[in-house]
Amino acid sequence: MEYVYAAMLLHAAGQEINEENIKAVLSSAKIEVDEARVKALVAALEGVDIDEAIKQAAVAAPAAAPAAAAAAPEEAPAEEEKKEEKKEEEEPSEEEALEGLGALFG
């Protein structure tokens, strides 16, 4: 992830995104540089309009966020129900306990 952050930082600063600049950013942050990852990132970003990619991500993100937020409250009651069901299954009633003892002794 730090490689992508380095590229975004270079873009925001108006600097060219190339291997040398990415290595410099990562090195200044005391991150051990993996040459293969740097080359792969530069190759992947070649010809990509980063501003356009950021705009598309910004448009997609707000649509996904409310859906995720709406799903979260529904999950909580289901988890509570499961916990209650487990408690009920684990704790036998007094009658069941006495029946079990009766079978042992009688």
Side-chain angles (χ1 to χ4, degrees), residues 8-65:
M8 292 181 70
L9 181 62
L10 289 168
H11 175 73
Q15 300 293 317
E16 182 181 353
I17 300 173
N18 58 31
E19 292 178 34
E20 183 180 315
N21 288 347
I22 290 177
K23 289 178 194 177
V25 170
L26 293 172
S27 296
S28 68
K30 295 183 174 52
I31 296 173
E32 187 175 329
V33 177
D34 181 355
E35 297 283 335
R37 291 178 73 183
V38 171
K39 288 181 182 187
L41 177 64
V42 171
L45 291 176
E46 191 172 317
V48 173
D49 183 359
I50 294 176
D51 289 322
E52 186 62 32
I54 291 171
K55 286 178 188 174
Q56 288 178 354
V59 170

Side-chain angles (χ1 to χ4, degrees), residues 37-94:
R37 291 178 73 183
V38 171
K39 288 181 182 187
L41 177 64
V42 171
L45 291 176
E46 191 172 317
V48 173
D49 183 359
I50 294 176
D51 289 322
E52 186 62 32
I54 291 171
K55 286 178 188 174
Q56 288 178 354
V59 170
E74 294 175 10
E75 293 175 8
E79 290 177 10
E80 290 176 9
E81 291 175 12
K82 289 180 184 178
K83 288 179 184 177
E84 290 176 11
E85 289 175 9
K86 287 181 182 178
K87 286 181 183 177
E88 291 175 7
E89 292 175 7
E90 292 174 3
E91 298 174 9
S93 68
E94 287 183 34

